[in-house]
Amino acid sequence: MNVIPIGPVHPILKEPLRIKLLVEGENVKGAEIDMGYVHRGIERIMEGKSYMKGIHLSERVCGICSYIHTQTFAECIEHICNIETPEKAGHLRVVTTELERIHSHLIAAAVYNLTIEHETLAMWMLNARETVMNLLEMITGNRVNMGYNVVGGVRLDLKKEIIDQIIKELDNFEDDIHNIIEVFRSGPMINLRSKDIGKLGYKELMKTRAAGPVARASGIPESDWRLRSDLYKQYKFKPCWRSEGDNFARMMVRHEEVLVSIDLIRQALTMYQECSGPVRNKAIIHAAEGEYRNEAHRGEVYYKIAITEGGIIKRIIIRTPTVMNLEAYKYMLKTCPTVPDAVATYTSIDPCVSCTERTIVLKDVITGKTTNYKDF
């Protein structure tokens, strides 16, 4: 058995980690995954800072799903400090979160198509994604680090002309997405490289606690945390899921979720226009500790925050979904006949290593005893 090392810096990887593929000839028999090549210590930097600085730092956890981190940070503090947010702010958060989910899914699908060498479809998806990025810029003023969420609501209201522009752009964008899905669904080369490749069964899924589209493509619709959100319970919405558990299913779940997100944005805009009043309430922070979860674009994102009277962050723990999905990748390799299939399967989980890599070691200043995050 031979070892093929890939990464930590490699053209096929959009994130820094090392994959050691164990192969016999061209057949993949397993893999070892080494992490630890990037660690920015964002949680440690947040400690001792005010919650207003913390929310800006949370936006730097990820460069693709930056918005959902600020929303989860804000909603965690609102939840533990019993801060009510205006109804308008809730609808605006749904609009921006779902726009970010669309652009995240499209870039994930584009990277997957590049790995199976369908460059035309990849470029088509990236081009369509520009429409969504432009809409985010119109709403928030920025394309990536938007600085839109604040504890107690959102920073800016929405003008009528921007609402009209969003509705108009979504109509054209939806037609484009239907065409993209049809090309992916019916393409013979895509089917050959994606169906029955990288399969993840139910039992293996439960061992790894895989999250997000990875879980829903293996038959777990209830993995969608939007089902548990009071914010989303106002809308008509069903999670997308499939049962095949292969690369094709994971990509199709993301494609179908783009259509669901478009529908959610339309519902949110309609309900937003029926509301009145401000888009943010004054945040009164008291000492508290608690946790909160949201459905990020790759799956469950978890925040646990302890805050002092007046809003100084004592402790914060962030967990992102890729850490579970990377464990699931090891099981997927059992149905990867070749090395290129192993690479495509890796991209099918939409990994975000810079989101994932973090460690916490607590040291007792009196005894010198160290404690890891499991005992926190």
Side-chain angles (χ1 to χ4, degrees), residues 323-349:
V323 67
M324 290 88 81
N325 291 339
L326 276 174
E327 282 299 306
Y329 173 62
K330 295 177 182 176
Y331 290 97
M332 296 173 191
L333 286 170
K334 294 177 182 176
T335 49
C336 290
T338 66
V339 173
D341 291 328
V343 174
T345 300
Y346 171 70
T347 57
S348 78
I349 69 171

Side-chain angles (χ1 to χ4, degrees), residues 266-278:
R266 288 188 175 125
Q267 290 184 55
L269 287 174
T270 301
M271 296 174 77
Y272 164 82
Q273 292 180 89
E274 294 169 356
C275 301
S276 59

